[in-house]
Amino acid sequence: MLLSAPLTASSARPAWDRPQRLGRSELKVTRLGIGCEDIRSEDVIRRAADLGINYFHAFGNHELVGNELRPIRSRVVLAAGSAKPTREDMLRDLDTQLQQFRTDYIDLWYLTSKYKPELLTDDLIEGVLAAKASGKIGACAVAGHGIGSIRSRLDELRGVVSAVMVVCNFATWEHRPDPDETRPRTSLPGGSRDDIIQLHRSGLGIVAMKPLMGGLRFVPGERKPWAESVDRENRRRAALTAALKWALNNPHVDCVPVMMTSIADLEHNVRAARTAFTESERKQLALTIAQHGAGYCRMCAGCAGTCRYGLPVPDVLRWLMYAEGYGNLPRARAAFAGMPASWQRVRCADCGACTVDCRAGSDVRPRLIRAQSLLA
């Protein structure tokens, strides 16, 4: 094990607003970034820049973000991306986004949903190289839930890929339901936190995905989201603050973009970033996970292939997260509707004995029932 002790304040990184180089790129980013997909007020973007944030992550909401960043375009890092599988489609998507942002270039361009090495095709990489040569993108990154399974491919692409965006939060990194457990402990199929450490040491930049554990709304129970299990708002907010500080304190993470839709949330997170992560906060996070973690999906994909009816359980749970955690019901329903009809007809409430076993101890069946009632 490369990291034998929990992360503490002793491993603190430079000040959050002191831009540092991101992996193999020439980009310098602040450790605290902002996710812009759900922002509806231009004031939030302006205020984020005023407070010192320079990393703006926009996998959507292109027009609003572009309009507000235009006066300070040269001083910020704009991150966007595409899940398109071919060079032609990806480049067309890039041109569309450039028009929507009303900019000539995107600083960090993500190839998203790349969880298998065969998805990072030579054709797609040639498209990235063409986009870089034309000045349309500055650097390339890969985002996905399968970092372990694509490590060898990332090694092959050392001259192309500068950074990766992976799920990295307190629950996936430090929680150990079984001290003797030897299977992967992060939400990366075929990977582990050691993969993140090794990739970072190899020179790849690490951008944290889901650093706040879905805002403690990740996985609903049969009738209510996990957030409602953390029964007092002040307790929930304290846990979220501690989770953010943990991620910012992780020496193997270079940037922590967080969804912030209001100036109040933005200013709260900036205040949190200015203070040290403490041992008491680490204990608070551990207690929160111990008390409510049975409803938390770590997206490890350990349950893949275990449903007797072939239901893609990890996917269904992720779509439920879109609905309950991110409040994006249309996206969740669209994804659910994309399954084969035979899977859409499966009803877990009618199944006598569930064959799906979560190695982290979560009760999966009620969540699947909830997903089917909400998304079908």
Side-chain angles (χ1 to χ4, degrees):
M1 178 63 64
L2 297 173
L3 188 64
S4 58
L7 296 174
T8 65
S10 62
S11 54
R13 298 288 302 273
W16 75 268
D17 58 351
R18 186 186 307 163
Q20 302 290 313
R21 183 172 174 176
L22 180 63
R24 299 171 187 145
S25 75
E26 297 301 320
L27 303 173
K28 290 188 175 182
V29 301
T30 52
R31 287 186 58 71
L32 179 62
I34 182 169
C36 303
E37 289 86 341
D38 295 329
I39 292 176
R40 294 295 174 263
S41 170
E42 297 89 343
D43 294 343
V44 176
I45 293 178
R46 291 192 218 112
R47 183 62 175 151
D50 290 343
L51 289 171
I53 291 174
N54 85 331
Y55 180 92
F56 291 81
H57 195 89
F59 283 12
N61 213 12
H62 302 147
E63 291 87 352
L64 183 146
V65 175
N67 286 337
E68 292 310 308
L69 292 184
R70 194 166 304 112
I72 55 171
R73 184 67 187 87
S74 62
R75 296 193 283 113
V76 301
V77 172
L78 174 62
S82 174
K84 300 298 183 182
T86 67
R87 166 182 175 155
E88 182 179 0
D89 289 341
M90 185 271 289
L91 291 177
R92 186 181 299 114
D93 196 7
L94 170 60
D95 285 339
T96 298
Q97 293 188 39
L98 288 171
Q99 292 175 3
Q100 293 170 338
F101 283 122
R102 293 177 63 189
T103 186
D104 295 328
Y105 65 98
I106 291 172
D107 299 279
L108 187 62
W109 181 250
Y110 282 91
L111 303 177
T112 64
S113 300
K114 299 300 181 276
Y115 51 89
K116 297 178 181 178
E118 57 265 31
L119 297 177
L120 289 166
T121 65
D122 291 342
D123 174 68
L124 194 59
I125 298 305
E126 288 172 3
V128 169
L129 293 174
K132 291 183 70 174
S134 66
K136 292 181 179 180
I137 65 174
C140 174
V142 170
H145 296 125
I147 203 69
S149 62
I150 65 170
R151 269 188 62 181
S152 60
R153 182 60 172 147
L154 290 173
D155 287 339
E156 295 171 358
L157 299 173
R158 289 180 64 90
V160 181
V161 177
S162 300
V164 291
M165 186 177 196
V166 299
V167 176
C168 186
N169 57 47
F170 178 86
T172 60
W173 188 282
E174 295 203 17
H175 179 59
R176 295 167 181 253
D178 180 354
D180 298 322
E181 178 61 75
T182 58
R183 290 178 290 185
R185 296 189 180 92
T186 74
S187 52
L188 310 170
S192 71
R193 70 183 189 179
D194 289 346
D195 287 311
I196 296 177
I197 295 171
Q198 292 285 27
L199 287 169
H200 193 240
R201 288 177 175 172
S202 76
L204 274 175
I206 303 295
V207 181
M209 185 191 300
K210 301 177 179 66
L212 304 189
M213 303 177 286
L216 302 186
R217 295 189 183 94
F218 233 126
V219 179
E222 188 171 2
R223 293 296 176 189
K224 64 180 182 178
W226 180 31
E228 294 177 18
S229 298
V230 185
D231 52 11
R232 293 200 303 271
E233 177 61 25
N234 61 335
R235 288 180 57 192
R236 176 174 172 269
R237 194 163 184 85
L240 291 175
T241 301
L244 172 61
K245 292 168 67 174
W246 179 92
L248 291 169
N249 190 70
N250 188 323
H252 303 288
V253 172
D254 299 297
C255 187
V256 184
V258 179
M259 292 283 192
M260 295 180 260
T261 58
S262 71
I263 289 180
D265 284 343
L266 169 65
E267 293 181 343
H268 174 87
N269 287 340
V270 168
R271 285 194 297 271
R274 291 170 177 163
T275 60
F277 177 70
T278 66
E279 179 64 17
S280 65
E281 287 173 318
R282 192 192 70 78
K283 292 178 179 178
Q284 177 189 36
L285 287 172
L287 180 61
T288 300
I289 294 298
Q291 290 178 333
H292 309 292
Y296 179 80
C297 176
R298 290 158 183 84
M299 299 176 69
C300 68
C303 57
T306 59
C307 171
R308 63 164 61 91
Y309 297 108
L311 198 67
V313 175
D315 291 333
V316 174
L317 295 180
R318 187 174 73 257
W319 301 333
L320 188 56
M321 175 198 69
Y322 295 158
E324 295 281 7
Y326 298 161
N328 196 333
L329 185 58
R331 179 185 179 187
R333 284 182 169 165
F336 190 91
M339 286 196 304
S342 59
W343 289 349
Q344 293 185 50
R345 289 193 295 267
V346 172
R347 289 295 176 268
C348 295
D350 299 332
C351 192
C354 184
T355 60
V356 179
D357 180 29
C358 174
R359 64 194 186 196
S362 297
D363 190 2
V364 174
R365 184 169 179 262
R367 305 202 314 267
L368 293 173
I369 293 172
R370 170 66 172 163
Q372 289 156 354
S373 67
L374 186 65
L375 307 180

